[in-house]
Amino acid sequence: MRYPQTFIDDLRRQADIVRVIQDYVQLKKKGANWMACCPFHKEKTPSFSVSPTKDIFYCFGCHKGGSVFNFVMEIERVGFPEAIKIVADKVGMPLPKMVDDSRFESRRQEADDVIQLNSWALQWWEQQLESSAEARIARDYLTAREISTETQKNFRLGYSPDSWDALSLHLRQKGATQAQIDRSGLVVLKEGGGSYDRFRGRLMFPILDIQGRPIAFGGRTLRNEDAKYINSPETAAYVKGRNLYGLNLTRDEIRRQEFAILVEGFLDLIVPFQAGVKNIVASLGTALTPDQVKLLSRFARKVVVNYDGDRAGVQAAKKSIEILLAEDIDVKVLVLPENSDPDEFIRKFGVTEYQRRRAKALPHIQFVIDHALRDRSLHRPAEKAEAVEEVLPYIRAVQDHVQKREYFDMAMNALHVTDLTLQRELWQTIRRSAIDQTGVARRAVRRSGVKRTMAETRLLHLLLSNEELRKDYLPRLEVAVYESLATGAIFEALIDVERSGGEANFESVRDRIQEDESAVELLPVLFMGDFPGVVDGDADARIAAERDIEALNKMWIDGRIAQLVVDIKAADTGGDANLRDQLVLEQFDLERRRKALMPRPDAPVGTN
């Protein structure tokens, strides 16, 4: 079930974004917009701007922005449907009946069934751990690991009896059908029919979603079995790599401290949490995924990676660094002595020593360099080359251009790469490799080094502000002209929006230019800023748009003619008469077009 799109569109138009945001932030009027200190990051000078005419908010400091729904989702930490309810309540619009979506409803019902069965299983396992004689082995294990009863209850630990069907019988007694049990992931289906309980004789760690609902489980053996941990399979309620262990308990502290400590396993989180380290999450013992990083980035933009110090832990940490950097997360790495994991270290040395070492965590690039130099000699050319190749990917992954260059310089210094020609070559390799191989990114490469002109900036502002101007002037823009501009990605996004019949608003354009960082940063300025030569009145706006398009056409023609002069000379020198003649004809045509763009002496001002 979902809300009708027509209602969502009406609600967006009816909602006063200033009034809604004022419920959370103290806004002050400044010109046409409203300003405040950003609620999403610490700052002393207000950079958070709300535009009632554009119906968007944007922070020029942390770059969060979007519609009133985006703001509520971010500030309340809720999903889109919940944000709609909140905004509708503030506006006073009654919620309509949700639209039936049979496939969505079927999947949602199956997920609800899985969570219900998981809840019954977890309650039963908790009771087993607390009182059953068989679970003494689990209680003794937890005592040996110094896990208190209070912590056991906080994390809802349990014990699964060593039986092939005890859980299945319990679930059927609670009212579950065999079909629901088979889809729950709590049993293993046999090839010849039937099933048996997946978790038997294990200490149970529930994986709770951010609302605290049990969506999956991890079970630790307490005997000598090959599989130390077994985990739930994917179900309608659980997709691997989309959740973080413990986040339901630690998200508020992560947001308060503005950074998270990332560990691998259950006890690596539980023991520090019990000791008072509350801003911590675990990646569930698997390789960190982009979805997990996106989830974590809702609460903090800084992460300290604290995986095990053994070889496998180091490799896992390095993979995590690349994924975190790709989401523009500031990354540090904490490596504990003697290959200790957080659980062992805190029980042996205490939480104060752990926090002291955490405060001295290495910047990610230093960690990578240190490991690249381990067991290698920079005096041996082959080993030096290996070290350089190992470090470069962690510089490429950095999103901020200034940081990327600083890390590159640090690496060149640490790896003793002093030859300036080689440094330039390596830097160019990093820049080329960092470009995403999409059409937009390839055009961004062609535009690299091109400065933005006032004509294109002002024209974009006019087109974004006026639907009639978009309809009249976008078709007049030649692909070759706008692709050559620094703002080409935004022009292309506008054309795509118009072609698809969509609404050219902040969100629709931004969604189409994510690969071009400079375009994303410029977009709110185009929506909110004031530009020379732009005045009120449709006639004046058309004159300004006409003038800017002519200026851009002339600029492109001049650039193309200059390139043709070079190409013609090269073709003539190379003896390619056919190519030379073809290029000369193109030059003549462009010169005629350029002449037509020049103002005539007798023409009135503001006309061709």
Side-chain angles (χ1 to χ4, degrees):
M1 302 290 285
R2 55 186 176 82
Y3 292 111
Q5 188 61 45
T6 53
F7 169 76
I8 296 172
D9 292 339
D10 286 342
L11 179 59
R12 182 186 285 110
R13 285 189 287 268
Q14 292 292 327
D16 182 345
I17 190 171
V18 172
R19 192 189 71 76
V20 172
I21 292 179
Q22 274 184 326
D23 286 349
Y24 304 91
V25 182
Q26 187 174 353
L27 297 172
K28 291 185 178 180
K29 191 102 166 48
K30 186 176 180 180
N33 298 333
W34 295 74
M35 301 293 294
C37 287
C38 181
F40 304 121
H41 79 288
K42 290 184 177 179
E43 62 178 4
K44 295 181 179 179
T45 303
S47 60
F48 180 84
S49 179
V50 182
S51 171
T53 57
K54 307 295 184 185
D55 282 330
I56 63 170
F57 76 93
Y58 188 79
C59 176
F60 292 87
C62 68
H63 306 300
K64 290 186 185 295
S67 70
V68 64
F69 301 131
N70 297 119
F71 179 85
V72 172
M73 289 168 66
E74 186 72 29
I75 199 77
E76 295 276 6
R77 301 194 294 275
V78 297
F80 187 62
E82 291 80 6
I84 290 175
K85 292 179 183 177
I86 293 170
V87 175
D89 181 62
K90 291 180 181 293
V91 173
M93 287 182 64
L95 290 170
K97 290 183 179 180
M98 301 186 84
V99 178
D100 181 28
D101 185 331
S102 56
R103 291 202 316 177
F104 172 82
E105 182 63 23
S106 174
R107 186 69 173 173
R108 186 194 62 78
Q109 184 59 55
E110 186 177 339
D112 288 346
D113 288 346
V114 171
I115 290 172
Q116 180 61 75
L117 267 64
N118 284 348
S119 297
W120 287 334
L122 178 54
Q123 291 165 6
W124 188 62
W125 286 334
E126 286 178 295
Q127 294 168 4
Q128 297 297 312
L129 177 62
E130 185 176 348
S131 59
S132 78
E134 183 188 331
R136 175 173 292 279
I137 186 174
R139 294 193 292 271
D140 290 345
Y141 173 83
L142 291 170
T143 299
R145 300 301 288 263
E146 301 177 16
I147 308 298
S148 69
T149 302
E150 180 184 1
T151 298
Q152 294 174 36
K153 293 184 180 300
N154 280 338
F155 287 91
R156 303 194 64 186
L157 305 187
Y159 176 77
S160 56
D162 192 8
S163 166
W164 293 100
D165 62 358
L167 176 62
S168 297
L169 290 172
H170 175 72
L171 294 176
R172 282 196 288 272
Q173 290 172 1
K174 297 291 287 186
T177 67
Q178 189 59 48
Q180 290 174 323
I181 295 172
D182 290 347
R183 291 193 296 266
S184 70
L186 294 169
V187 298
V188 177
L189 302 180
K190 300 177 184 178
E191 289 187 8
S195 64
Y196 57 88
D197 291 352
R198 181 179 300 276
F199 301 102
R200 304 177 308 281
R202 289 178 178 261
L203 177 63
M204 300 303 299
F205 296 86
I207 298 169
L208 309 177
D209 66 12
I210 204 161
Q211 284 82 39
R213 301 176 302 173
I215 55 175
F217 299 95
R220 191 196 192 284
T221 183
L222 300 169
R223 301 175 178 83
N224 293 323
E225 297 181 68
D226 291 337
K228 184 177 180 181
Y229 280 95
I230 60 173
N231 301 303
S232 294
E234 291 193 354
T235 65
Y238 174 65
V239 177
K240 292 179 181 178
R242 288 190 181 175
N243 297 273
L244 290 163
Y245 182 68
L247 187 60
N248 61 302
L249 296 177
T250 65
R251 60 181 184 175
D252 290 337
E253 187 65 15
I254 289 171
R255 170 159 277 178
R256 190 183 72 80
Q257 296 203 33
E258 298 185 330
F259 77 95
I261 300 171
L262 177 66
V263 297
E264 284 187 280
F266 299 116
L267 290 175
D268 289 335
L269 181 141
I270 290 173
V271 171
F273 185 93
Q274 178 178 275
V277 182
K278 308 290 188 181
N279 57 323
I280 187 168
V281 291
S283 56
L284 294 167
T286 59
L288 190 69
T289 68
D291 283 338
Q292 288 175 320
V293 175
K294 286 184 174 70
L295 175 61
L296 183 56
S297 69
R298 290 168 52 187
F299 305 95
R301 304 297 302 179
K302 297 179 181 179
V303 171
V304 176
V305 178
N306 183 201
Y307 286 176
D308 292 355
D310 58 15
R311 183 178 295 274
V314 168
Q315 288 304 115
K318 291 169 71 175
K319 290 179 181 178
S320 297
I321 289 169
E322 283 194 88
I323 295 171
L324 288 161
L325 291 174
E327 293 295 327
D328 202 18
I329 302 292
D330 182 21
V331 186
K332 291 187 177 181
V333 183
L334 171 59
V335 179
L336 298 171
E338 302 174 7
N339 295 338
S340 299
D341 58 33
D343 165 26
E344 296 169 337
F345 185 88
I346 287 179
R347 285 190 290 113
K348 185 175 181 180
F349 298 103
V351 70
T352 301
E353 179 62 15
Y354 177 83
Q355 291 286 40
R356 188 185 72 81
R357 290 178 178 269
R358 191 272 308 157
K360 295 183 177 181
L362 296 174
H364 88 274
I365 195 64
Q366 189 61 56
F367 168 80
V368 171
I369 291 171
D370 288 350
H371 280 274
L373 292 176
R374 184 171 296 179
D375 301 324
R376 287 193 178 109
S377 171
L378 294 179
H379 297 294
R380 297 189 181 97
E383 293 183 9
K384 183 174 183 176
E386 290 173 356
V388 171
E389 285 300 311
E390 186 172 318
V391 170
L392 290 184
Y394 301 93
I395 302 174
R396 291 189 191 107
V398 176
Q399 300 298 297
D400 183 85
H401 296 307
V402 174
Q403 289 185 7
K404 188 194 294 283
R405 183 67 209 199
E406 288 182 352
Y407 289 146
F408 175 80
D409 292 340
M410 286 173 59
M412 294 299 97
N413 183 58
L415 298 172
H416 296 174
V417 179
T418 57
D419 184 272
L420 294 180
T421 301
L422 178 56
Q423 285 189 16
R424 283 194 293 271
E425 182 180 337
L426 291 172
W427 176 245
Q428 291 302 319
T429 300
I430 286 175
R431 294 188 65 190
R432 286 195 299 271
S433 300
I435 297 296
D436 181 80
Q437 296 302 308
T438 64
V440 171
R442 285 195 294 271
R443 287 188 288 277
V445 173
R446 291 200 296 271
R447 293 193 297 268
S448 62
V450 178
K451 293 184 178 181
R452 190 173 74 247
T453 65
M454 178 53 70
E456 64 191 280
T457 308
R458 184 171 50 218
L459 178 61
L460 276 171
H461 172 71
L462 289 166
L463 296 178
L464 288 165
S465 304
N466 190 310
E467 182 179 0
E468 290 301 318
L469 288 182
R470 287 197 299 276
K471 290 180 179 179
D472 292 344
Y473 287 98
L474 275 178
R476 294 179 50 185
L477 287 169
E478 295 184 36
V479 175
V481 174
Y482 70 72
E483 277 193 355
S484 67
L485 301 174
T487 56
I490 303 178
F491 279 104
E492 184 175 28
L494 264 180
I495 291 170
D496 186 57
V497 170
E498 289 294 312
R499 188 183 297 121
S500 64
E503 181 182 350
N505 54 36
F506 181 84
E507 292 175 295
S508 65
V509 177
R510 186 182 61 177
D511 289 345
R512 289 167 166 82
I513 60 173
Q514 292 295 336
E515 296 88 349
D516 193 324
E517 184 177 327
S518 62
V520 172
E521 292 181 1
L522 175 64
L523 189 60
V525 178
L526 294 172
F527 271 98
M528 293 182 171
D530 296 320
F531 296 91
V534 176
V535 293
D536 293 335
D538 185 65
D540 292 325
R542 287 181 175 276
I543 291 172
E546 192 81 37
R547 183 174 61 243
D548 289 336
I549 285 181
E550 289 182 359
L552 295 177
N553 285 335
K554 183 177 180 298
M555 183 175 68
W556 178 81
I557 290 173
D558 287 344
R560 179 58 183 157
I561 289 174
Q563 183 60 51
L564 284 170
V565 171
V566 175
D567 293 344
I568 289 168
K569 184 176 181 180
D572 190 50
T573 303
D576 192 338
N578 289 333
L579 177 60
R580 179 200 61 200
D581 293 344
Q582 180 182 342
L583 296 175
V584 167
L585 288 174
E586 183 182 352
Q587 180 185 354
F588 287 163
D589 180 62
L590 288 174
E591 286 175 345
R592 283 195 296 270
R593 289 177 57 187
R594 186 181 186 280
K595 186 176 181 180
L597 292 173
M598 299 298 290
R600 297 190 304 274
D602 57 342
V605 177
T607 65
N608 287 331

